[in-house]
């Protein structure tokens, strides 16, 4: 199976939420940052075949990459679009379930990407 193209959601003002979150994580929690990067690389290699414990399906076509350090749980929400492409919506630290508001945000971003992927996604430069 060919690799999956991994891109990042880009807001209309040019900001890329997942990159901002990863930059913050790299400074504050380097071990978590490294684990999140490893999950992104796995996603690029495995695509639709990513499964628990490294990834899971939430709802409405939204998935999560899962990383843990100690008692802290990090999630990167993502969705597939096109034939073999995925967009990373944003990242978060969670204590229990992923909040509905976070999933809803990813759903809205998915709708925007499906309408215009060239404008609403950016290269993922890590």
């Amino acid at each position: 199976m060919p690799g999956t193209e991994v891109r990042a959601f880009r807001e209309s003002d040019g900001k890329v939420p997942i990159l901002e979150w990863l930059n913050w994580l790299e400074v504050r929690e380097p071990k978590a940052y490294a684990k999140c990067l490893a999950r992104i690389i796995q996603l690029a290699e495995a695509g639709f075949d990513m499964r628990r414990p490294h990834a899971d399906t939430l709802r409405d076509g939204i998935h999560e990459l899962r990383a843990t350090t100690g008692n802290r749980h990090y999630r990167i929400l993502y969705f597939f679009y096109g034939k073999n492409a995925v967009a990373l919506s944003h990242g978060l630290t969670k204590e229990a379930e992923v909040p509905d508001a976070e999933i809803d945000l990813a759903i809205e971003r998915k709708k925007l990407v499906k309408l215009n992927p060239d404008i609403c996604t950016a290269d993922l430069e890590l």
Side-chain angles (χ1 to χ4, degrees), residues 20-40:
E20 291 178 356
W21 184 75
L22 286 169
N23 290 338
W24 175 88
L25 200 61
E26 182 179 23
V27 171
R28 297 225 175 8
E29 302 181 44
K31 285 184 181 181
Y33 171 78
K35 286 189 175 189
C36 288
L37 284 185
R39 295 293 179 261
I40 293 169

Side-chain angles (χ1 to χ4, degrees), residues 48-64:
F48 285 104
D49 293 330
M50 284 282 288
R51 299 283 185 265
R52 274 177 133 347
H54 306 302
D56 203 4
T57 300
L58 298 174
R59 66 174 162 84
D60 298 323
I62 304 301
H63 305 266
E64 65 177 354

Side-chain angles (χ1 to χ4, degrees), residues 7-9 16-18 76-79 87-91 102 105-107 109:
R7 298 190 49 85
F9 172 78
V16 180
I18 189 63
I76 297 173
L77 302 190
Y78 68 96
F79 50 86
L88 305 179
S89 174
H90 63 287
E102 299 290 347
L105 175 60
I107 291 168
R109 290 175 171 172

Side-chain angles (χ1 to χ4, degrees), residues 53-114:
H54 306 302
D56 203 4
T57 300
L58 298 174
R59 66 174 162 84
D60 298 323
I62 304 301
H63 305 266
E64 65 177 354
L65 291 176
R66 305 159 57 93
T68 302
T69 59
N71 293 332
R72 308 244 4 215
H73 305 284
Y74 305 91
R75 300 296 186 257
I76 297 173
L77 302 190
Y78 68 96
F79 50 86
F80 290 92
Y81 70 97
K83 184 176 180 181
N84 200 25
V86 64
L88 305 179
S89 174
H90 63 287
L92 61 124
T93 304
K94 71 173 203 81
E95 293 182 17
E97 292 182 2
V98 174
D100 283 336
E102 299 290 347
I103 299 170
D104 293 341
L105 175 60
I107 291 168
E108 289 305 312
R109 290 175 171 172
K110 178 181 176 185
K111 290 176 185 174
L112 292 170
V113 167
K114 287 198 171 215

